[in-house]
Short mmCIF file of all heavy atoms in Angstrom, two decimals:
data_model
loop_
_atom_site.label_atom_id
_atom_site.label_comp_id
_atom_site.label_asym_id
_atom_site.label_seq_id
_atom_site.Cartn_x
_atom_site.Cartn_y
_atom_site.Cartn_z
N PHE P 317 -6.40 18.82 -6.33
CA PHE P 317 -5.51 17.87 -7.00
C PHE P 317 -4.17 17.80 -6.29
O PHE P 317 -3.55 18.82 -6.02
CB PHE P 317 -5.29 18.30 -8.44
CG PHE P 317 -4.24 17.50 -9.15
CD1 PHE P 317 -4.55 16.28 -9.68
CD2 PHE P 317 -2.95 17.99 -9.28
CE1 PHE P 317 -3.58 15.52 -10.32
CE2 PHE P 317 -1.98 17.24 -9.92
CZ PHE P 317 -2.30 16.00 -10.44
N LYS P 318 -3.73 16.59 -5.95
CA LYS P 318 -2.35 16.44 -5.48
C LYS P 318 -1.83 15.08 -5.94
O LYS P 318 -2.47 14.06 -5.70
CB LYS P 318 -2.25 16.62 -3.97
CG LYS P 318 -2.86 15.49 -3.18
CD LYS P 318 -2.46 15.51 -1.70
CE LYS P 318 -2.93 14.19 -1.12
NZ LYS P 318 -3.09 14.03 0.24
N PRO P 319 -0.70 15.09 -6.63
CA PRO P 319 -0.18 13.80 -7.09
C PRO P 319 0.29 12.97 -5.91
O PRO P 319 0.79 13.50 -4.93
CB PRO P 319 0.99 14.19 -7.99
CG PRO P 319 1.36 15.57 -7.59
CD PRO P 319 0.18 16.21 -6.94
N SER P 320 0.12 11.64 -5.95
CA SER P 320 0.58 10.83 -4.82
C SER P 320 2.09 10.68 -4.91
O SER P 320 2.67 10.52 -5.96
CB SER P 320 -0.12 9.49 -4.79
OG SER P 320 0.07 8.81 -5.99
N GLN P 321 2.71 10.76 -3.73
CA GLN P 321 4.17 10.80 -3.64
C GLN P 321 4.68 9.59 -2.90
O GLN P 321 4.14 9.26 -1.86
CB GLN P 321 4.58 12.04 -2.82
CG GLN P 321 4.23 13.36 -3.44
CD GLN P 321 5.15 13.71 -4.59
OE1 GLN P 321 6.12 12.97 -4.85
NE2 GLN P 321 4.87 14.79 -5.27
N PRO P 322 5.76 8.99 -3.40
CA PRO P 322 6.34 7.89 -2.62
C PRO P 322 6.88 8.40 -1.28
O PRO P 322 7.39 9.52 -1.21
CB PRO P 322 7.48 7.38 -3.49
CG PRO P 322 7.53 8.21 -4.70
CD PRO P 322 6.45 9.23 -4.67
N VAL P 323 6.74 7.61 -0.23
CA VAL P 323 7.25 8.03 1.08
C VAL P 323 8.31 7.07 1.63
O VAL P 323 9.04 7.42 2.53
CB VAL P 323 6.13 8.17 2.13
CG1 VAL P 323 5.21 9.30 1.79
CG2 VAL P 323 5.34 6.89 2.30
N VAL P 324 8.35 5.85 1.08
CA VAL P 324 9.32 4.88 1.57
C VAL P 324 10.23 4.49 0.40
O VAL P 324 9.74 4.22 -0.70
CB VAL P 324 8.61 3.61 2.09
CG1 VAL P 324 9.64 2.57 2.52
CG2 VAL P 324 7.69 3.95 3.24
N PHE P 325 11.52 4.47 0.64
CA PHE P 325 12.48 4.14 -0.41
C PHE P 325 13.32 2.95 0.00
O PHE P 325 13.66 2.80 1.18
CB PHE P 325 13.40 5.33 -0.67
CG PHE P 325 12.70 6.44 -1.39
CD1 PHE P 325 11.86 7.30 -0.70
CD2 PHE P 325 12.84 6.59 -2.75
CE1 PHE P 325 11.18 8.30 -1.37
CE2 PHE P 325 12.16 7.59 -3.43
CZ PHE P 325 11.33 8.45 -2.74
N CYS P 326 13.66 2.11 -0.97
CA CYS P 326 14.66 1.08 -0.67
C CYS P 326 15.35 0.68 -1.96
O CYS P 326 14.88 1.00 -3.05
CB CYS P 326 14.05 -0.12 0.04
SG CYS P 326 13.22 -1.26 -1.03
N GLY P 327 16.48 0.02 -1.83
CA GLY P 327 17.22 -0.44 -3.00
C GLY P 327 16.79 -1.84 -3.36
O GLY P 327 16.58 -2.68 -2.49
N LEU P 328 16.61 -2.09 -4.67
CA LEU P 328 16.35 -3.45 -5.15
C LEU P 328 17.52 -3.84 -6.04
O LEU P 328 17.82 -3.15 -7.02
CB LEU P 328 15.04 -3.51 -5.95
CG LEU P 328 13.74 -3.13 -5.24
CD1 LEU P 328 12.55 -3.25 -6.18
CD2 LEU P 328 13.52 -4.01 -4.01
N PHE P 329 18.17 -4.94 -5.68
CA PHE P 329 19.33 -5.42 -6.44
C PHE P 329 19.10 -6.88 -6.82
O PHE P 329 18.56 -7.63 -6.02
CB PHE P 329 20.60 -5.33 -5.59
CG PHE P 329 21.01 -3.92 -5.27
CD1 PHE P 329 20.46 -3.26 -4.18
CD2 PHE P 329 21.93 -3.25 -6.07
CE1 PHE P 329 20.83 -1.96 -3.89
CE2 PHE P 329 22.30 -1.95 -5.79
CZ PHE P 329 21.75 -1.30 -4.69
N PRO P 330 19.53 -7.27 -8.03
CA PRO P 330 19.39 -8.69 -8.37
C PRO P 330 20.42 -9.50 -7.58
O PRO P 330 21.56 -9.06 -7.41
CB PRO P 330 19.71 -8.72 -9.87
CG PRO P 330 20.50 -7.50 -10.15
CD PRO P 330 20.15 -6.48 -9.11
N VAL P 331 20.01 -10.67 -7.09
CA VAL P 331 20.96 -11.54 -6.41
C VAL P 331 22.05 -11.94 -7.41
O VAL P 331 23.24 -11.92 -7.11
CB VAL P 331 20.25 -12.80 -5.87
CG1 VAL P 331 21.26 -13.82 -5.37
CG2 VAL P 331 19.29 -12.41 -4.76
N ASP P 332 21.60 -12.27 -8.61
CA ASP P 332 22.54 -12.64 -9.66
C ASP P 332 22.75 -11.39 -10.52
O ASP P 332 21.84 -10.95 -11.23
CB ASP P 332 21.89 -13.77 -10.47
CG ASP P 332 22.74 -14.18 -11.66
OD1 ASP P 332 23.73 -13.46 -11.96
OD2 ASP P 332 22.41 -15.19 -12.29
N SER P 333 23.97 -10.82 -10.47
CA SER P 333 24.16 -9.51 -11.08
C SER P 333 23.97 -9.54 -12.60
O SER P 333 23.73 -8.51 -13.23
CB SER P 333 25.53 -8.94 -10.72
OG SER P 333 26.51 -9.90 -11.04
N SER P 334 24.01 -10.75 -13.21
CA SER P 334 23.78 -10.82 -14.66
C SER P 334 22.31 -10.54 -14.99
O SER P 334 21.94 -10.40 -16.14
CB SER P 334 24.19 -12.18 -15.20
OG SER P 334 23.26 -13.15 -14.79
N GLU P 335 21.45 -10.48 -13.95
CA GLU P 335 20.03 -10.23 -14.21
C GLU P 335 19.66 -8.75 -14.12
O GLU P 335 18.49 -8.41 -14.09
CB GLU P 335 19.16 -11.04 -13.24
CG GLU P 335 19.21 -12.51 -13.55
CD GLU P 335 18.29 -13.33 -12.65
OE1 GLU P 335 18.00 -12.93 -11.51
OE2 GLU P 335 17.87 -14.40 -13.11
N PHE P 336 20.68 -7.88 -14.10
CA PHE P 336 20.38 -6.46 -13.95
C PHE P 336 19.46 -5.94 -15.06
O PHE P 336 18.50 -5.23 -14.81
CB PHE P 336 21.68 -5.64 -13.92
CG PHE P 336 21.42 -4.17 -13.96
CD1 PHE P 336 20.95 -3.51 -12.84
CD2 PHE P 336 21.61 -3.44 -15.13
CE1 PHE P 336 20.68 -2.15 -12.87
CE2 PHE P 336 21.33 -2.08 -15.18
CZ PHE P 336 20.87 -1.43 -14.05
N GLU P 337 19.76 -6.33 -16.31
CA GLU P 337 18.94 -5.84 -17.43
C GLU P 337 17.50 -6.34 -17.33
O GLU P 337 16.56 -5.63 -17.65
CB GLU P 337 19.54 -6.23 -18.79
CG GLU P 337 20.80 -5.44 -19.16
CD GLU P 337 20.60 -3.92 -19.20
OE1 GLU P 337 19.47 -3.47 -19.55
OE2 GLU P 337 21.54 -3.17 -18.87
N ASP P 338 17.35 -7.58 -16.86
CA ASP P 338 16.00 -8.13 -16.68
C ASP P 338 15.26 -7.34 -15.61
O ASP P 338 14.07 -7.09 -15.72
CB ASP P 338 16.05 -9.60 -16.25
CG ASP P 338 16.73 -10.47 -17.30
OD1 ASP P 338 16.73 -10.05 -18.47
OD2 ASP P 338 17.25 -11.54 -16.95
N LEU P 339 15.99 -6.96 -14.57
CA LEU P 339 15.37 -6.20 -13.49
C LEU P 339 14.94 -4.82 -14.01
O LEU P 339 13.85 -4.35 -13.71
CB LEU P 339 16.34 -6.05 -12.31
CG LEU P 339 15.84 -5.19 -11.14
CD1 LEU P 339 14.56 -5.77 -10.54
CD2 LEU P 339 16.91 -5.06 -10.06
N ARG P 340 15.80 -4.21 -14.81
CA ARG P 340 15.46 -2.91 -15.38
C ARG P 340 14.15 -3.01 -16.17
O ARG P 340 13.22 -2.21 -16.03
CB ARG P 340 16.58 -2.42 -16.30
CG ARG P 340 16.28 -1.03 -16.90
CD ARG P 340 16.96 -0.82 -18.25
NE ARG P 340 18.41 -0.80 -18.15
CZ ARG P 340 19.12 0.28 -17.81
NH1 ARG P 340 18.51 1.40 -17.50
NH2 ARG P 340 20.42 0.22 -17.76
N ASP P 341 14.09 -4.07 -16.97
CA ASP P 341 12.91 -4.31 -17.79
C ASP P 341 11.65 -4.49 -16.93
O ASP P 341 10.61 -3.90 -17.20
CB ASP P 341 13.21 -5.59 -18.60
CG ASP P 341 12.26 -5.73 -19.74
OD1 ASP P 341 12.06 -4.72 -20.43
OD2 ASP P 341 11.72 -6.84 -19.92
N ALA P 342 11.78 -5.30 -15.88
CA ALA P 342 10.64 -5.57 -15.00
C ALA P 342 10.18 -4.28 -14.33
O ALA P 342 8.97 -3.99 -14.28
CB ALA P 342 11.03 -6.60 -13.94
N ILE P 343 11.12 -3.49 -13.84
CA ILE P 343 10.77 -2.25 -13.15
C ILE P 343 10.09 -1.28 -14.11
O ILE P 343 9.09 -0.65 -13.78
CB ILE P 343 12.02 -1.63 -12.49
CG1 ILE P 343 12.36 -2.44 -11.24
CG2 ILE P 343 11.82 -0.16 -12.14
CD1 ILE P 343 13.61 -2.01 -10.51
N GLU P 344 10.62 -1.19 -15.33
CA GLU P 344 9.99 -0.29 -16.31
C GLU P 344 8.55 -0.71 -16.59
O GLU P 344 7.66 0.11 -16.67
CB GLU P 344 10.79 -0.25 -17.61
CG GLU P 344 11.91 0.76 -17.53
CD GLU P 344 12.84 0.71 -18.73
OE1 GLU P 344 12.53 0.01 -19.73
OE2 GLU P 344 13.90 1.37 -18.66
N LYS P 345 8.35 -2.02 -16.75
CA LYS P 345 7.00 -2.50 -17.04
C LYS P 345 6.05 -2.21 -15.89
O LYS P 345 4.93 -1.76 -16.09
CB LYS P 345 7.01 -4.00 -17.33
CG LYS P 345 7.67 -4.33 -18.66
CD LYS P 345 6.97 -5.52 -19.32
CE LYS P 345 7.55 -5.80 -20.70
NZ LYS P 345 8.74 -6.65 -20.64
N LEU P 346 6.52 -2.46 -14.66
CA LEU P 346 5.65 -2.22 -13.50
C LEU P 346 5.35 -0.72 -13.35
O LEU P 346 4.24 -0.33 -13.00
CB LEU P 346 6.29 -2.77 -12.23
CG LEU P 346 6.34 -4.29 -12.14
CD1 LEU P 346 7.19 -4.74 -10.97
CD2 LEU P 346 4.94 -4.87 -12.01
N ALA P 347 6.36 0.10 -13.63
CA ALA P 347 6.18 1.55 -13.47
C ALA P 347 5.16 2.10 -14.47
O ALA P 347 4.46 3.06 -14.18
CB ALA P 347 7.52 2.28 -13.62
N LEU P 348 5.07 1.46 -15.65
CA LEU P 348 4.09 1.90 -16.64
C LEU P 348 2.69 1.88 -16.06
O LEU P 348 1.84 2.68 -16.41
CB LEU P 348 4.09 0.95 -17.85
CG LEU P 348 5.23 1.07 -18.82
CD1 LEU P 348 5.05 0.07 -19.95
CD2 LEU P 348 5.31 2.48 -19.37
N ASN P 349 2.47 0.94 -15.16
CA ASN P 349 1.13 0.72 -14.64
C ASN P 349 0.93 1.26 -13.24
O ASN P 349 -0.09 1.02 -12.62
CB ASN P 349 0.84 -0.78 -14.65
CG ASN P 349 -0.63 -1.06 -14.63
OD1 ASN P 349 -1.43 -0.16 -14.85
ND2 ASN P 349 -0.99 -2.28 -14.33
N ASP P 350 1.90 1.98 -12.74
CA ASP P 350 1.82 2.38 -11.35
C ASP P 350 2.54 3.71 -11.18
O ASP P 350 3.74 3.76 -10.96
CB ASP P 350 2.46 1.30 -10.48
CG ASP P 350 2.28 1.56 -9.00
OD1 ASP P 350 1.93 2.70 -8.63
OD2 ASP P 350 2.49 0.63 -8.22
N ALA P 351 1.77 4.78 -11.25
CA ALA P 351 2.38 6.10 -11.25
C ALA P 351 3.00 6.45 -9.91
O ALA P 351 3.83 7.34 -9.81
CB ALA P 351 1.33 7.15 -11.63
N SER P 352 2.61 5.74 -8.84
CA SER P 352 3.12 6.11 -7.53
C SER P 352 4.39 5.33 -7.16
O SER P 352 4.92 5.46 -6.07
CB SER P 352 2.05 5.90 -6.47
OG SER P 352 1.40 4.68 -6.69
N PHE P 353 4.87 4.54 -8.09
CA PHE P 353 6.10 3.76 -7.86
C PHE P 353 7.21 4.44 -8.66
O PHE P 353 7.07 4.64 -9.85
CB PHE P 353 5.83 2.33 -8.34
CG PHE P 353 7.03 1.49 -8.60
CD1 PHE P 353 8.01 1.35 -7.64
CD2 PHE P 353 7.18 0.80 -9.79
CE1 PHE P 353 9.12 0.55 -7.87
CE2 PHE P 353 8.26 0.00 -10.03
CZ PHE P 353 9.24 -0.13 -9.07
N SER P 354 8.29 4.86 -7.99
CA SER P 354 9.35 5.55 -8.72
C SER P 354 10.64 4.73 -8.64
O SER P 354 10.80 3.91 -7.74
CB SER P 354 9.60 6.92 -8.11
OG SER P 354 10.26 6.78 -6.87
N SER P 355 11.53 4.94 -9.58
CA SER P 355 12.79 4.21 -9.50
C SER P 355 13.89 4.99 -10.20
O SER P 355 13.64 5.72 -11.15
CB SER P 355 12.66 2.85 -10.19
OG SER P 355 12.50 3.03 -11.58
N GLU P 356 15.11 4.85 -9.68
CA GLU P 356 16.25 5.35 -10.43
C GLU P 356 17.43 4.42 -10.18
O GLU P 356 17.47 3.73 -9.17
CB GLU P 356 16.59 6.79 -10.06
CG GLU P 356 16.96 7.01 -8.63
CD GLU P 356 17.16 8.51 -8.35
OE1 GLU P 356 16.22 9.28 -8.62
OE2 GLU P 356 18.26 8.87 -7.91
N MET P 357 18.37 4.42 -11.13
CA MET P 357 19.46 3.47 -11.00
C MET P 357 20.32 3.82 -9.81
O MET P 357 20.49 4.98 -9.48
CB MET P 357 20.29 3.48 -12.27
CG MET P 357 20.78 2.11 -12.62
SD MET P 357 21.74 2.16 -14.10
CE MET P 357 23.36 2.10 -13.39
N GLU P 358 20.83 2.78 -9.17
CA GLU P 358 21.69 2.99 -8.01
C GLU P 358 22.86 2.05 -8.12
O GLU P 358 22.71 0.91 -8.56
CB GLU P 358 20.88 2.68 -6.74
CG GLU P 358 21.71 2.78 -5.48
CD GLU P 358 20.93 2.46 -4.20
OE1 GLU P 358 19.84 1.88 -4.29
OE2 GLU P 358 21.45 2.78 -3.13
N THR P 359 24.04 2.50 -7.71
CA THR P 359 25.15 1.55 -7.63
C THR P 359 25.60 1.49 -6.18
O THR P 359 25.66 2.50 -5.50
CB THR P 359 26.36 1.97 -8.49
OG1 THR P 359 26.60 3.33 -8.26
CG2 THR P 359 26.12 1.70 -9.95
N SER P 360 25.84 0.29 -5.76
CA SER P 360 26.29 0.09 -4.40
C SER P 360 27.62 -0.64 -4.48
O SER P 360 27.77 -1.57 -5.27
CB SER P 360 25.25 -0.76 -3.67
OG SER P 360 25.87 -1.57 -2.69
N ALA P 361 28.58 -0.19 -3.66
CA ALA P 361 29.88 -0.85 -3.68
C ALA P 361 29.70 -2.33 -3.37
O ALA P 361 30.36 -3.19 -3.92
CB ALA P 361 30.80 -0.21 -2.65
#
Side-chain angles (χ1 to χ4, degrees):
F317 172 81
K318 71 166 190 199
S320 57
Q321 295 285 355
V323 293
V324 177
F325 287 79
C326 80
L328 299 180
F329 293 85
V331 170
D332 176 350
S333 53
S334 72
E335 289 183 333
F336 172 74
E337 287 302 328
D338 299 336
L339 177 60
R340 181 208 295 277
D341 196 46
I343 285 177
E344 274 172 10
K345 290 215 176 85
L346 290 170
L348 285 181
N349 201 13
D350 186 345
S352 43
F353 162 52
S354 73
S355 68
E356 61 185 56
M357 217 180 101
E358 176 180 16
T359 46
S360 149

